[in-house]
Amino acid sequence: MTEPSDKRPLTERLIAANEHRLSALVTATSDIIYSLSADWKVMRELDGRGFLHDALEPTENWQEINVYAGDQEMVTKAIQSAISEKTIFELEHRVNRVDGTVGWTFSRAVPILDEQGEILEWVGTASDITDRKLGEQALQKTIEEAEQQKRVYETITAGTPDLMYVFGLDYRFTYVNNALLTMWGKTWENAIGKSLLENGYEPWHAEMHEREIDQIIETKQSIRGEVSFPHAVLGTRVYDYILIPVLNERGEVEAVAGTTRDITERKQFEEKLAETSDELQAINEEMEATNEEQAASNEELAVANLELAAINEQLREARHKIEESEVALRLAVSAANFGTWHINSVTRAFTTDSRLKELFGYYPEEDLSIEQALAQVTDEYRDFVTTKLENAIYNNGDYDITYPVIGLHDQRLRWLRAIGNLKADPSGTFSAFTGVVMDITEQKQDEIRKNDFIGMVSHELKTPLTSMKGYIQMLMLKLRKLDDDFTNSSLEKTNLQIGKMTAMINGFLNVSRLESGKINIDLEPFDLSSLIKEAEEESLATIPSHNIIFAPVETTMVNADKDKIGQVINNLLSNAIKYSPAGSTINVACITVDGFAQFSVKDQGMGIKEDDIPKIFDRYYRVEAQHMFSISGFGIGLYLCSEIIKRHNGKIWAESEFGKGSTFNFALPTI
Ligand code: ADP
């Protein structure tokens, strides 16, 4: 049997077959298909497929019905441009869905042209991209939150002296903070991904932590311990450490985070020890609470995950970052007992935690504004703190300052160190100034006590030394007549040694005065060249060991403290003598450049390595090297010189080539 043959003409049959295929295609696609008049005024047909409102017969107000009010203008513009260019219309925009909610569509329409090239009609498709759009928005929000957290976290980890780190389950470091990198002397690249052994831990020490990590994975409980081992520079130190599990949304351990604190100093005070263990106990409890909170937020996140199944992969990555930084952040904040704050540069809104309020003597439930916090700073420091803060918020200045406050309710004096970091907010409309405040009252009081002690001892030592000097000088006068060479030269040497001792004690006394703000600068106009002349005469008479050449100096008037500038000159000269071989040449000069008297002492001694040059003006700093063992000193001479010159609005600096010699300079404004 053969099929009855179709009697229609060929063209008609071809058209029918095409229409048939087209309608099959329309049925098969999930997209919405529509057709419009040439000027887009009339929607001829639209099958909304449950997403948009159907247009079963020609409709004129289709745009009002379907397009979301806020996007009307954008859609109209795109239509006008497609019509005038006779090109394909293509646009992502919001629509009013059948269920009354707002959704997103990707709409694309093609113009059908007649033989003259004029538009006959438009045929288009619209697909529902709501899920993707909502997903993208949620992802963007999560990423912004992650970045905000990261900024806070970076500020804190950079500011803490504690060691902070995170281990993966394979015992390898996945995070270490700056303090730990500095202690190891390593960079991030050559420390991350390495095991404890590879990062230089002794085998017993590495095994101990690995056992602890195993235990944490099994029990999900934190471990606190104490360990003592030698530090490369500081000798044997005692460390207190806390390791805590980082849980994923299923409540399984996915990493182990830890902080380690150097408690050597604290160990030395027995009563303090008792206090400390109470404190650590509290920290421990706080950490457990933190863990529970985290587990709760993990559960919430899991629910959100289900809803966003389509973009789950990307979201998980972003969320992971937040979790890591949150753990590290809470660890750091609770372990170090910091107060944290945040300032919006436009509104000046000051957001703080309750620990910060406590540090300013406020109750946790009270509001605290920037002005109220500044009011608690002591009178002497308030202007300084205000200037630094304003400068940091509005001029991107550094912010790391130490100042005393008196608590509002408890009237307690506390010394605080505040560190902050300014970043533009992702929105670009304001800057976010974030930071931490640490209570350093104990260190500060310790420092003050030490300083007072040094001052007292130096002062007490001076009295007997002065009378010794008097007696020796009397003896020298008397015995000179006896012509006893041995006695005379012994007395002379004793006198010289007493002179050195007096100079050392004066040095300590000056440091102590400087620290407690008791040093006075008495300005008077004088000629610097005459002061240099005095130094020249004195060195000719007393220093036979070196060849000291003074270049001629013109009259150079300065408004300065003559004694103190004399001290600086003597200090630089005696260092040049001390750090260069006997018989070598030392050049002293003073010239005027751009309104500044520039004094210099150039030696041909051991020189200073480039790394050490910026540090030699620090208090108690001495270069550590083999060749320094035989040269005595306390590292206070240059510190005093630089403090004196700073108080004259001058500048002091050193230039040196290691092994060849050094030049020390200072510059003072002339009058
Ligand atoms: P002190 O000499 O008592 O150690 P200073 O504060 O005067 O203390 O100097 C600090 C350090 O700077 C010294 O310990 C020394 O290492 C280095 N230093 C100072 N002057 C010179 C110099 N002229 N040449 C080489 N090194 C110097």
Side-chain angles (χ1 to χ4, degrees):
M1 285 261 287
T2 50
E3 299 257 331
S5 58
D6 194 335
K7 294 276 166 5
R8 287 181 293 173
L10 181 66
T11 43
E12 228 173 87
R13 268 187 285 147
L14 283 176
I15 290 171
N18 267 345
E19 269 179 1
H20 186 68
R21 268 195 227 114
L22 183 68
S23 101
L25 202 69
V26 169
T27 320
T29 175
S30 62
D31 286 352
I32 290 155
I33 311 278
Y34 59 82
S35 68
L36 286 153
S37 60
D39 57 4
W40 286 64
K41 293 241 156 50
V42 184
M43 169 75 72
R44 292 197 175 133
E45 197 177 352
L46 183 142
D47 174 358
R49 291 181 184 255
F51 173 53
L52 295 182
H53 299 274
D54 295 335
L56 300 177
E57 45 202 50
T59 312
E60 292 219 355
N61 58 347
W62 64 272
Q63 195 172 333
E64 231 168 86
I65 298 171
N66 290 316
V67 178
Y68 173 70
D71 287 353
Q72 292 284 5
E73 203 180 315
M74 176 179 81
V75 171
T76 305
K77 271 202 189 125
I79 291 173
Q80 280 162 358
S81 142
I83 293 177
S84 71
E85 308 273 325
K86 293 181 185 159
T87 53
I88 293 175
F89 166 91
E90 215 170 46
L91 192 66
E92 278 185 15
H93 64 86
R94 283 172 287 181
V95 290
N96 302 320
R97 294 201 283 191
V98 178
D99 64 5
T101 61
V102 176
W104 280 88
T105 186
F106 171 62
S107 176
R108 197 164 186 277
V110 183
I112 311 286
L113 306 178
D114 62 14
E115 276 152 19
Q116 283 77 42
E118 292 308 317
I119 302 174
L120 280 174
E121 64 169 343
W122 295 79
V123 179
T125 61
S127 48
D128 179 359
I129 56 163
T130 311
D131 285 348
R132 167 163 74 79
K133 275 288 182 186
L134 293 180
E136 275 171 15
Q137 283 166 355
L139 177 67
Q140 186 54 31
K141 191 160 170 272
T142 314
I143 288 170
E144 277 166 19
E145 279 170 12
E147 274 167 6
Q148 173 115 14
Q149 287 291 346
K150 193 159 162 267
R151 278 202 313 281
V152 175
Y153 146 80
E154 273 170 0
T155 307
I156 287 163
T157 58
T160 173
D162 291 340
L163 312 173
M164 293 174 32
Y165 41 89
V166 180
F167 292 108
L169 298 186
D170 54 0
Y171 316 128
R172 287 173 186 281
F173 287 94
T174 58
Y175 172 79
V176 295
N177 74 342
N178 273 346
L180 187 51
L181 285 175
T182 311
M183 176 172 143
W184 286 343
K186 287 194 153 204
T187 60
W188 174 267
E189 287 71 25
N190 61 29
I192 290 307
K194 298 266 168 68
S195 67
L196 287 143
L197 268 181
E198 287 165 330
N199 275 330
Y201 282 61
E202 303 240 357
W204 66 266
H205 194 175
E207 279 161 24
M208 177 179 91
H209 286 321
E210 289 180 3
R211 271 199 308 277
E212 286 166 345
I213 292 170
D214 287 342
Q215 191 184 329
I216 290 171
I217 295 170
E218 204 186 307
T219 61
K220 299 182 186 165
Q221 297 292 318
S222 344
I223 291 184
R224 201 188 116 218
E226 213 174 275
V227 63
S228 166
F229 56 87
H231 183 280
V233 186
L234 304 172
T236 296
R237 312 290 293 173
V238 187
Y239 296 93
D240 180 52
Y241 66 93
I242 299 167
L243 299 174
I244 75 155
V246 180
L247 303 177
N248 66 13
E249 71 268 23
R250 290 182 298 283
E252 297 154 352
V253 178
E254 62 176 13
V256 173
T259 58
T260 296
R261 173 180 282 194
D262 184 337
I263 54 159
T264 319
E265 250 90 65
R266 215 162 48 186
K267 278 255 144 192
Q268 290 164 353
F269 299 96
E270 250 187 273
E271 12 161 338
K272 261 199 207 158
L273 184 71
E275 257 177 56
T276 310
S277 70
D278 280 356
E279 231 175 74
L280 281 172
Q281 182 63 33
I283 290 169
N284 238 356
E285 278 160 18
E286 244 172 75
M287 281 192 167
E288 264 160 30
T290 309
N291 258 352
E292 275 168 33
E293 260 172 50
Q294 204 204 332
S297 66
N298 273 346
E299 268 169 40
E300 274 167 38
L301 282 171
V303 175
N305 241 358
L306 284 174
E307 285 167 23
L308 296 168
I311 49 158
N312 204 13
E313 214 35 61
Q314 289 153 294
L315 264 181
R316 190 176 302 156
E317 214 172 290
R319 202 188 58 227
H320 194 73
K321 276 192 204 155
I322 299 179
E323 282 174 7
E324 268 181 12
S325 42
E326 246 185 30
V327 171
L329 173 71
R330 287 192 200 156
L331 264 171
V333 171
S334 50
N337 217 2
F338 292 150
T340 59
W341 49 267
H342 178 92
I343 297 174
N344 177 313
S345 68
V346 173
T347 61
R348 287 175 71 87
F350 187 44
T351 319
T352 67
D353 65 357
S354 53
R355 170 66 180 150
L356 187 126
K357 289 179 189 167
E358 187 188 337
L359 289 172
F360 283 82
Y362 272 69
Y363 300 132
E365 62 280 3
E366 286 178 309
D367 286 336
L368 177 62
S369 67
I370 302 181
E371 283 64 34
Q372 283 167 323
L374 286 170
Q376 300 315 122
V377 176
T378 59
D379 292 346
E380 277 169 304
Y381 276 80
R382 192 171 306 113
D383 282 351
F384 161 74
V385 177
T386 310
T387 315
K388 282 279 184 184
L389 186 69
E390 298 295 317
N391 195 31
I393 304 178
Y394 301 110
N395 300 332
N396 217 354
D398 289 346
Y399 194 66
D400 180 352
I401 56 172
T402 297
Y403 54 88
V405 298
I406 308 276
L408 177 70
H409 299 302
D410 58 8
Q411 289 295 306
R412 243 177 81 176
L413 172 80
R414 291 184 185 84
W415 279 87
L416 303 182
R417 178 174 176 200
I419 300 182
N421 180 278
L422 184 77
K423 286 269 163 65
D425 185 85
S427 69
T429 50
F430 68 95
S431 303
F433 188 47
T434 315
V436 292
V437 170
M438 312 169 199
D439 186 350
I440 54 157
T441 313
E442 280 183 29
Q443 283 112 293
K444 199 69 195 177
Q445 281 171 347
D446 228 34
E447 215 175 276
I448 293 172
R449 267 199 300 275
K450 246 186 256 167
N451 188 45
D452 288 351
F453 179 72
I454 291 177
M456 195 181 71
V457 170
S458 316
H459 188 77
E460 291 300 319
L461 283 173
K462 265 188 87 165
T463 321
L465 213 59
T466 314
S467 46
M468 261 165 85
K469 200 173 169 80
Y471 284 120
I472 297 221
Q473 278 167 356
M474 258 156 53
L475 272 178
M476 279 166 80
L477 281 176
K478 284 202 165 173
L479 294 181
R480 199 161 288 165
K481 296 166 198 141
L482 292 184
D483 219 15
D484 175 344
D485 277 355
F486 174 74
T487 314
N488 276 332
S489 85
S490 303
L491 275 177
E492 229 153 68
K493 280 181 191 145
T494 313
N495 193 31
L496 207 74
Q497 295 300 332
I498 289 188
K500 277 192 186 168
M501 216 160 141
T502 313
M504 272 184 224
I505 289 172
N506 279 339
F508 279 115
L509 208 53
N510 283 335
V511 170
S512 153
R513 285 196 189 128
L514 205 84
E515 299 286 302
S516 53
K518 284 187 206 130
I519 210 155
N520 274 334
I521 301 285
D522 295 323
L523 298 181
E524 54 168 332
F526 70 91
D527 178 9
L528 196 56
S529 73
S530 65
L531 192 63
I532 297 170
K533 194 85 207 154
E534 282 171 30
E536 179 176 1
E537 277 155 15
E538 197 185 319
S539 67
L540 278 179
T542 56
I543 301 159
S545 58
H546 288 70
N547 177 25
I548 309 183
I549 301 174
F550 282 79
V553 183
E554 287 174 10
T555 305
T556 311
M557 293 304 290
V558 291
N559 193 25
D561 186 318
K562 196 169 175 184
D563 284 350
K564 300 225 162 50
I565 298 299
Q567 260 178 42
V568 174
I569 292 174
N570 282 336
N571 234 312
L572 298 184
L573 254 176
S574 48
N575 275 353
I577 294 161
K578 208 156 101 175
Y579 297 106
S580 66
S584 64
T585 300
I586 293 170
N587 293 89
V588 182
C590 183
I591 52 171
T592 301
V593 185
D594 296 336
F596 277 85
Q598 190 171 316
F599 175 87
S600 64
V601 179
K602 180 170 189 260
D603 67 49
Q604 297 173 354
M606 58 178 68
I608 308 160
K609 287 195 180 143
E610 211 180 312
D611 286 355
D612 281 316
I613 293 183
K615 302 182 203 155
I616 53 175
F617 295 98
D618 291 351
R619 189 179 54 164
Y620 305 134
Y621 188 82
R622 302 200 74 214
V623 172
E624 272 184 47
Q626 205 64 35
H627 58 260
M628 285 286 295
F629 286 156
S630 53
I631 306 172
S632 66
F634 295 109
I636 55 180
L638 289 181
Y639 169 66
L640 283 172
C641 291
S642 95
E643 290 298 315
I644 290 172
I645 297 297
K646 258 192 236 160
R647 282 166 167 72
H648 281 88
N649 296 325
K651 203 181 138 202
I652 185 163
W653 71 101
E655 293 149 3
S656 183
E657 203 174 324
F658 187 58
K660 295 232 167 100
S662 321
T663 306
F664 280 81
N665 312 276
F666 70 76
L668 288 180
T670 54
I671 47 171

